[in-house]
Amino acid sequence: MEHQYKKYVLKFIAVFAAVLILIAGFVYVTDPYVYYHKEGIYKRTFTKNFNMRYQMPGLIRNLEYETLFVGTSMSHNFTEEKIDEVLKTKSFNATISGSSAREQRKAVELAMKSKDIDHIYWEINYDSLAGDPDRVDATFPEFLYDRNLINDIPYLLSYEAIKKIDYQIKNQHLVKDDVNPHLFYKFGAKKEPLTIDKMRAQTEGLNAPPEASHNLESYMESFRKNMRYMVEKYPDTKFTFFYAPYPITRHMVIQSQKPDINEDRLQTKLAIFNELKSYNNIEVYDFQDEANITFNVGNYIDRSHYFPYINDILLEKMAFEKPIQSEKEYKEKVESFSDQLENFSYDQLKEQPLHVSNNE
C-alpha cells in the first residue's frame, strides 16, 4: 500500500513538472513581452511598459546598437536619431527613471552580454550613488537582467504572460507594424518653459536628502562597486561619464539646508575623476557649472528636467569638445561651481530659453 502511494506521488510530481516545463517552454517560444527574441511564432511587437525596469531587458537584448546610454530621467531625451547623427553610430538609450547605480550596472552588464558595445555614455547622478551600493528598486526584476533561463521562472510561469499570449493571438489585427520603442520614454518637448516665479514655487518646501546616505563615503562606495568595476571589467570599451546640468535652484535647496552635502558632492567629483584618470578607456564631462543652462529657468520644464534641446547641446559638447584634461582644470571648474552656490541670488536667473523649438 505504501509502495503504491509513493509511486502515485512520484507520478503526480512527474506529470506536474512536465506540465510546468511545457508552459515555460510555450511562454519562452511565444515570448509575449519580447524579452528573448524579436521575431515570434505569431505577430507581436514591443509594447510600452510604464515600469521601465521591466521594459529595458527586452529592448537591451533585441534592439541593434553599438553605443549605449545609461542613467536617469535626466538622460531620457538623448534621442537615438540625434546620437546616431552626431556620433556616427548605432545607439540605444537604456536610461531608467530614478535608477540606482546598481540598476544601471545591471543594464550595462546585460548589454555587454547581448551586443558588441563600443562606447557607453554613463550619467553620474548623486541620487543614483546614494545609499547601499547594491540598492535596487523594490520592483526591479533582477532575474531578467541576466541570461540564465532558470532565473526567469517568474516570467515563464506567470499568469500575466499567459493572458498576454491569449490577447495577442485573439487580436492579431491590432498589432501595429510601426511601433518605435526608441520613443517610449522621451518627454517634455511640448511643455511650457518655467518662469522664475514658477521655479521658485516648485522648489519651495523641498527638503534636502538625508545625510546618512548622501555623503562622500556612500557616493564613492557605490561608484567603485558599480561604475569603476565596469570600467575595469571591460577595458576595450570606451566609457564617457557625465554630470547632467540640474538647475542651480535644485542645488540651492541643499545649500540652504545642508551645505555639507553639497561640499561632499564637490569632493566626490574630484575623487571620482582622480580614480578614473589612470584608465585609458574613460573620459569625464561635467555640465553642472554651465551657467548659460543652469541659471536660465526657461531651459527647464520642471524643477529638475530640461528641454530635449539641452540633451542635444550636451551631446554635441561630448562629441566635439574635449573632456576634462587634468586635475588642475577640474579643480578650477569645481571651485567655479562652488562660487555659484555660495553667491547665488534669484536676481541672477533668466527666463530666456537657449532654443525656441519648445515653443513651436
Side-chain angles (χ1 to χ4, degrees), residues 58-95:
L59 300 180
I60 289 171
R61 289 185 179 199
N62 290 294
L63 297 180
E64 296 301 323
Y65 56 93
E66 60 187 9
T67 297
L68 182 74
F69 275 65
V70 287
T72 71
S73 58
M74 299 300 291
S75 298
H76 279 341
N77 288 322
F78 287 108
T79 66
E80 286 83 353
E81 181 180 8
K82 186 68 174 179
I83 296 168
D84 295 354
E85 173 193 338
V86 173
L87 300 181
K88 310 301 181 188
T89 187
K90 184 70 175 174
S91 64
F92 174 53
N93 185 335
T95 53

Side-chain angles (χ1 to χ4, degrees), residues 285-301:
Y285 290 86
D286 190 343
F287 304 111
Q288 294 193 336
D289 65 330
E290 300 267 353
N292 62 325
I293 297 175
T294 61
F295 280 74
N296 192 335
V297 299
N299 291 323
Y300 294 87
I301 62 176

Side-chain angles (χ1 to χ4, degrees), residues 292-339:
N292 62 325
I293 297 175
T294 61
F295 280 74
N296 192 335
V297 299
N299 291 323
Y300 294 87
I301 62 176
D302 60 34
R303 64 194 182 201
S304 299
H305 299 98
Y306 33 75
F307 280 99
Y309 65 79
I310 297 295
N311 294 86
D312 293 347
I313 291 173
L314 303 184
L315 180 64
E316 291 181 356
K317 284 178 176 290
M318 290 188 285
F320 304 119
E321 297 182 7
K322 289 182 178 180
I324 297 166
Q325 299 292 296
S326 67
E327 182 181 4
K328 180 177 181 296
E329 175 191 339
Y330 202 19
K331 278 185 176 179
E332 292 174 355
K333 193 173 179 68
V334 169
E335 288 171 2
S336 172
F337 184 42
S338 179
D339 289 341

Side-chain angles (χ1 to χ4, degrees), residues 145-312:
Y145 284 80
D146 58 33
R147 299 191 69 87
N148 184 350
L149 276 177
I150 295 176
N151 291 345
D152 295 351
I153 292 300
Y155 170 54
L156 296 174
L157 295 180
S158 75
Y159 179 60
E160 290 300 317
I162 300 296
K163 284 200 307 181
K164 186 76 169 179
I165 293 168
D166 179 64
Y167 175 83
Q168 289 173 336
I169 291 175
K170 290 178 179 177
N171 294 277
Q172 286 287 283
H173 61 289
L174 298 178
V175 177
K176 298 179 180 179
D177 295 319
D178 59 349
V179 173
N180 183 358
H182 291 155
L183 301 179
F184 282 173
Y185 303 113
K186 307 300 189 286
F187 70 100
K190 295 183 179 180
K191 293 275 191 177
E192 288 295 318
L194 286 191
T195 62
I196 294 173
D197 287 341
K198 287 180 179 178
M199 179 65 85
R200 189 194 293 267
Q202 287 198 16
T203 54
E204 283 181 353
L206 288 181
N207 294 319
E211 293 168 302
S213 56
H214 285 262
N215 56 69
L216 176 62
E217 181 180 354
S218 177
Y219 295 150
M220 292 306 298
E221 184 181 8
S222 185
F223 160 74
R224 290 170 183 141
K225 291 189 70 172
N226 295 300
M227 295 177 168
R228 196 183 74 180
Y229 171 83
M230 296 302 288
V231 169
E232 293 177 343
K233 187 174 182 179
Y234 296 101
D236 295 328
T237 300
K238 185 175 182 179
F239 289 81
T240 295
F241 293 99
F242 65 95
Y243 295 82
Y246 280 97
I248 187 66
T249 47
R250 175 74 179 261
H251 298 289
M252 290 309 301
V253 170
I254 298 172
Q255 188 71 10
S256 63
Q257 299 174 31
K258 300 178 181 179
D260 286 348
I261 292 180
N262 272 344
E263 182 59 32
D264 274 10
R265 291 182 171 187
L266 297 178
Q267 293 304 312
T268 298
K269 291 175 184 287
L270 295 172
I272 287 177
F273 179 77
N274 283 330
E275 291 196 11
L276 288 177
K277 66 182 181 181
S278 62
Y279 296 96
N280 296 323
N281 59 328
I282 71 95
E283 58 186 14
V284 178
Y285 290 86
D286 190 343
F287 304 111
Q288 294 193 336
D289 65 330
E290 300 267 353
N292 62 325
I293 297 175
T294 61
F295 280 74
N296 192 335
V297 299
N299 291 323
Y300 294 87
I301 62 176
D302 60 34
R303 64 194 182 201
S304 299
H305 299 98
Y306 33 75
F307 280 99
Y309 65 79
I310 297 295
N311 294 86
D312 293 347

